[in-house]
Amino acid sequence: MAVVLVAAGVFAAVHFWSGRPHSVRAPDPVNEAAHARTSMSTPSPDGAEAPEPSPGSPPATGPGGHIVVDVSGKVRRPGIRQLPSGARVADALRAAGGVREGADLTGLNRARVLMDGEQIVVGVPRGPSAVGGAGALAPGGGGGSPAGPVSLNTATVEQLETLPGVGPVLAQHIVDYRAQHGGFRSIDELREVNGIGDRRFADLQPLVGP
């Protein structure tokens, strides 16, 4: 009987020990930020990573957030003007004092956004038909014949340079002769200018006037 009682006590002790409650460690909390980064870096099913937002285009500004433009032609105060970036042609016209009365604004887009360093010409046609006839052509005589006869008594050096075969030196000789002799009374006097021979005179005769 003693052996049976001892065996029963041992069995009860083992059963009690195995059935006691055990402490369980709580799981570590998931870092939401890390989970978000992991989700963003996970490639899409087709193997391509999620695109990042592209930065915006840099503003078209000059130094200091301003632009500098040259306003010329038929405005009240032509010259260099500094305007804020994003200014339009209309802003440049206002900065130049406005357009003179009677100026032709055909072809001038006043709503256009300006660029740094550009020139705005108001009311002056470009090309051979520009006001002043000969002055509309590039100096050196390479642009062809002037739109009308060039006056030997009133033309500037730049206008004389538009004549075929007339460079800066010869144009200055014409102006010097005009100053020394009180002007040209006839086209034939052009023969007396230093540097103009018979052949050059024949080329210039239909293009000039007193």
Side-chain angles (χ1 to χ4, degrees):
M1 289 295 291
V3 173
V4 173
L5 291 174
V6 172
V10 172
F11 177 80
V14 172
H15 180 72
F16 175 81
W17 180 262
S18 62
R20 79 184 192 284
H22 296 277
S23 60
V24 179
R25 182 183 177 185
D28 295 332
V30 179
N31 191 315
E32 295 181 1
H35 177 70
R37 289 195 298 268
T38 304
S39 300
M40 292 178 62
S41 60
T42 303
S44 57
D46 59 359
E49 294 185 359
E52 297 181 358
S54 59
S57 302
T61 62
H66 289 79
I67 59 173
V68 178
V69 297
D70 180 12
V71 186
S72 62
K74 295 184 178 181
V75 291
R76 291 186 174 88
R77 295 194 304 271
I80 303 297
R81 295 288 179 266
Q82 186 180 69
L83 301 170
S85 176
R88 301 178 184 269
V89 173
D91 299 322
L93 298 182
R94 281 193 294 269
V99 179
R100 291 183 181 178
E101 185 178 356
D104 183 10
L105 299 182
T106 303
L108 183 64
N109 183 4
R110 284 169 285 179
R112 180 174 58 83
V113 177
L114 295 168
M115 298 176 59
D116 184 47
E118 75 168 279
Q119 183 184 38
I120 306 167
V121 182
V122 181
V124 179
R126 296 179 181 271
S129 60
V131 175
L137 300 177
S145 300
V150 176
S151 173
L152 297 175
N153 289 323
T154 61
T156 63
V157 172
E158 289 76 14
Q159 290 175 326
L160 291 171
E161 287 181 40
T162 65
L163 295 169
V166 178
V169 175
L170 184 54
Q172 189 60 51
H173 287 170
I174 296 174
V175 173
D176 293 342
Y177 180 91
R178 181 175 69 196
Q180 294 171 2
H181 297 81
F184 290 85
R185 289 175 291 275
S186 68
I187 300 176
D188 292 337
E189 289 186 48
L190 196 58
R191 295 175 181 268
E192 302 177 17
V193 176
N194 184 23
I196 297 182
D198 293 339
R199 181 175 179 179
R200 183 161 295 171
F201 175 78
D203 294 336
L204 296 176
Q205 187 176 15
L207 304 176
V208 296

